[in-house]
Amino acid sequence: MQTLFTGRKVVLFALPGAFTGVCERGHVPSFATLVGDFKAKGVDEVICVSVNDPYCMNAWATQLAAEGVAFYGDADGSFTRAVGAEWDCNGDALGPAKWSNRYACVVDDGIVGACFVEQGPGDLEVSDGATLLGAAAFEGQEAMVRMLLQRGASVNLQNSLGLTALMYAADYGYTTIVQAL
């Protein structure tokens, strides 16, 4: 894994398993549609990792045709354990093994920057477009807000506290972001 991160800027997202509902219909597409924008912001690679064997991940990548997303299998779960994202998905009908929780982060030269971790592997709330939009508004990142809006992020979506991106921007005095929203 060191060669993936050293001297590079990587968007890394992890998910419980290949060929599973939320992962296939929500999480992967949310990154695949933004690959060009990530690259324009200096990202070298967008990586999806899951506790699956590499053959399974390759078959899934082929089926999804998620251009620009690299798929890596964490076959023995060692990477997932090392980052503390191991999750018992036995109750989620994924079998008795430990899988990965769902998360997304930016890794710049091996250092983890922004990171969004879901409460559980079946959730897709804090690593979705609405949350990223809110986080960008909260941090005053106007370019990111505009990019997410251009990609179809809804300004009306609320986070788990009932707050919208507009509320964050207004509270922190980011007038240009308020106007964009």
Side-chain angles (χ1 to χ4, degrees), residues 78-171:
S78 58
F79 177 78
T80 300
R81 266 190 309 283
V83 299
E86 203 174 42
W87 194 274
D88 182 353
C89 292
N90 204 16
D92 301 314
L94 289 178
K98 301 275 182 162
W99 299 84
S100 177
N101 193 12
R102 187 181 312 282
Y103 63 89
C105 56
V106 177
V107 182
D108 194 354
D109 195 19
I111 298 170
V112 177
C115 194
F116 301 92
V117 181
E118 297 291 351
Q119 289 293 316
D123 298 332
L124 185 56
E125 295 177 18
V126 300
S127 56
D128 65 0
T131 302
L132 290 176
L133 179 62
F138 178 78
E139 294 176 3
Q141 297 179 10
E142 183 180 351
M144 179 68 82
V145 169
R146 290 187 185 281
M147 179 201 65
L148 290 166
L149 288 172
Q150 190 175 37
R151 290 289 178 179
S154 172
V155 297
N156 298 316
L157 292 178
Q158 301 175 353
N159 67 12
S160 60
L161 301 174
L163 301 172
T164 66
L166 179 61
M167 291 173 177
Y168 280 122
D171 283 349

Side-chain angles (χ1 to χ4, degrees), residues 12 31 35 42 55 58-60 62-63 67 71 77 81 96 106 124 127 130 160 167 176:
L12 172 73
F31 284 91
V35 167
Y55 301 104
N58 184 54
W60 193 40
T62 300
Q63 178 200 316
E67 196 69 34
F71 289 79
R81 266 190 309 283
V106 177
L124 185 56
S127 56
S160 60
M167 291 173 177
T176 57

